[in-house]
Amino acid sequence: MGKNVIFWISVRSIDPLLRKKHGNFNYLDISKRTWEYWCKKNDVIFYEYTTPTHDNTGENKVTWQRWFDVFKQLDASGIDYNKVALVDGSSMIRWNTPNFFDLVKDKPVAFRSLENVKWIYEGVQGYKSLFDGFDFDLTKYNSCGFQIFDKSHRPFLDILETFYYSNYHKILELQGSVKRGTDQPVYNYLSQIHNIEFDEISPAFMLTHLNRFDWFSHNWQLKTDMTPFFIKYGYIWFFSGFDRTQRQPLMEQTWNMIKHEYNYG
C-alpha cells in the first residue's frame, strides 16, 4: 500500500495572454506554502505538476492535460502511491484540516458544483451537440477543481483522453464559442454516460465562489472575533468565481492573516 498524494496543479503557462490574465501566476506561491505544510503534517506526498505533455497550453489547456498526465507522471516518478487528489493551484488549505483521505473509500470523490446554475446550464447546452442530445442530469454536475482517484479509476481518464483527441478540433471550437468551461462540461457528460459513481465528503473541503456566498464576511455581532467565515468554517478555499485579477491580492491578504498558523513565520 503506497502513500496518498496531492497532485497539485501549478503550471505557469508561457502564453502571454494567460500570464496577463492570471497575474503571472504569482498566487501559486501562496497556495504551495499551505499545501506543502499540510502534506508534511499528514504524511502525504506533495507532487507539483509543472510540466504538461504539451507546451502549447493556450490550445491544450492545463485543465485538460492534468487528467491525462496524472497517472503517467506518477508512474514515471517511481512513487508508490495509493489515492491521488488532483487539486487546483488557486486553492489554499487550512493548517489544521483533517486528513480527507481517511474519509475516502473505493469510489472517486467529487464535489457538486451548483454555484452558478446559469453558467453550468449554458455549458451543458453548449456542448450537447458532442453527445447526440444525451439527457444530462444537471443535479449531478461535478466540479473538476478537486477530485480524488486511485489506480482503479484510470480507465475512465483513458476514456476522457481518447474522446478529447478524437474530437479535438470540435472541442477547441466550442471552448471559444460557448465559453462555459473547458474540460468540465465534457468530463461531466462522459462521467454520466459511463455511469461513473462518485462519493462526496463534506462541502467544507471545497469552498468556492467565496464572494457569491458571502464567505468573506464575518459575524459582526462577535466584535472580539473578526475571522472571515471561510477561514472559520471551511477547510479548503478556492479563489475562483470572480475576476482573476483579484485572486492574487485576496490570497495574499488571507495568507497574511493566517501565516503564523503554518509555523512559517
Side-chain angles (χ1 to χ4, degrees), residues 176-209:
S177 60
V178 178
K179 298 181 179 179
R180 294 294 185 269
T182 55
D183 62 314
Q184 198 160 268
V186 177
Y187 183 102
N188 274 278
Y189 264 110
L190 289 177
S191 65
Q192 288 195 24
I193 288 170
H194 291 276
N195 297 312
I196 304 300
E197 294 185 7
F198 292 89
D199 271 340
E200 296 182 64
I201 54 178
S202 169
F205 289 96
M206 190 177 182
L207 295 189
T208 185
H209 287 240

Side-chain angles (χ1 to χ4, degrees), residues 36-73:
E36 278 190 319
Y37 175 88
W38 184 87
C39 286
K40 184 176 181 180
K41 183 177 180 180
N42 290 278
D43 194 27
V44 171
I45 293 173
F46 179 79
Y47 185 94
E48 188 172 355
Y49 175 54
T50 59
T51 309
T53 298
H54 300 290
D55 292 334
N56 184 358
T57 55
E59 287 191 1
N60 293 282
K61 304 291 188 185
V62 174
T63 48
W64 275 108
Q65 294 196 67
R66 58 183 168 176
W67 305 118
F68 316 150
D69 287 343
V70 52
F71 288 115
K72 294 174 186 176
Q73 291 200 9

Side-chain angles (χ1 to χ4, degrees), residues 75-260:
D75 287 344
S77 72
I79 293 173
D80 182 18
Y81 58 93
N82 182 21
K83 295 188 181 298
V84 182
L86 280 78
V87 183
D88 193 86
S90 64
S91 65
M92 297 174 69
I93 185 167
R94 201 172 78 184
W95 60 95
N96 58 353
T97 295
N99 190 338
F100 46 80
F101 286 110
D102 294 338
L103 308 176
V104 174
K105 297 180 181 179
D106 296 328
K107 294 179 182 177
V109 173
F111 293 83
R112 291 284 181 258
S113 182
L114 294 173
E115 298 87 5
N116 187 340
V117 177
K118 179 178 181 291
W119 187 92
I120 292 171
Y121 175 78
E122 290 174 351
V124 169
Q125 292 301 114
Y127 282 82
K128 203 176 189 71
S129 61
L130 276 177
F131 301 98
D132 299 322
F134 177 79
D135 187 17
F136 188 90
D137 185 348
L138 202 65
T139 65
K140 295 181 179 180
Y141 191 96
N142 290 322
S143 169
C144 287
F146 179 26
Q147 297 201 4
I148 304 174
F149 298 95
D150 62 31
K151 296 174 185 178
S152 69
H153 309 135
R154 188 170 185 167
F156 172 65
L157 298 187
D158 291 339
I159 290 171
L160 185 66
E161 182 175 12
T162 299
F163 186 90
Y164 175 72
Y165 288 116
S166 298
N167 298 274
Y168 178 76
H169 295 292
K170 182 63 176 176
I171 288 173
L172 287 189
E173 178 186 327
L174 290 173
Q175 284 178 177
S177 60
V178 178
K179 298 181 179 179
R180 294 294 185 269
T182 55
D183 62 314
Q184 198 160 268
V186 177
Y187 183 102
N188 274 278
Y189 264 110
L190 289 177
S191 65
Q192 288 195 24
I193 288 170
H194 291 276
N195 297 312
I196 304 300
E197 294 185 7
F198 292 89
D199 271 340
E200 296 182 64
I201 54 178
S202 169
F205 289 96
M206 190 177 182
L207 295 189
T208 185
H209 287 240
L210 302 176
N211 59 326
R212 185 182 300 274
F213 297 105
D214 207 26
W215 282 108
F216 289 124
S217 295
H218 63 276
N219 191 330
W220 59 269
Q221 294 172 311
L222 297 178
K223 298 188 184 301
T224 59
D225 186 359
M226 309 289 278
T227 307
F229 291 136
F230 75 98
I231 295 176
K232 195 171 185 178
Y233 300 115
Y235 292 133
I236 303 175
W237 321 309
F238 286 78
F239 291 80
S240 57
F242 46 76
D243 186 346
R244 288 183 177 87
T245 61
Q246 299 302 306
R247 179 176 288 159
Q248 166 71 20
L250 285 170
M251 291 178 71
E252 188 169 2
Q253 288 177 44
T254 301
W255 174 249
N256 287 335
M257 289 179 63
I258 62 176
K259 61 184 179 183
H260 61 280

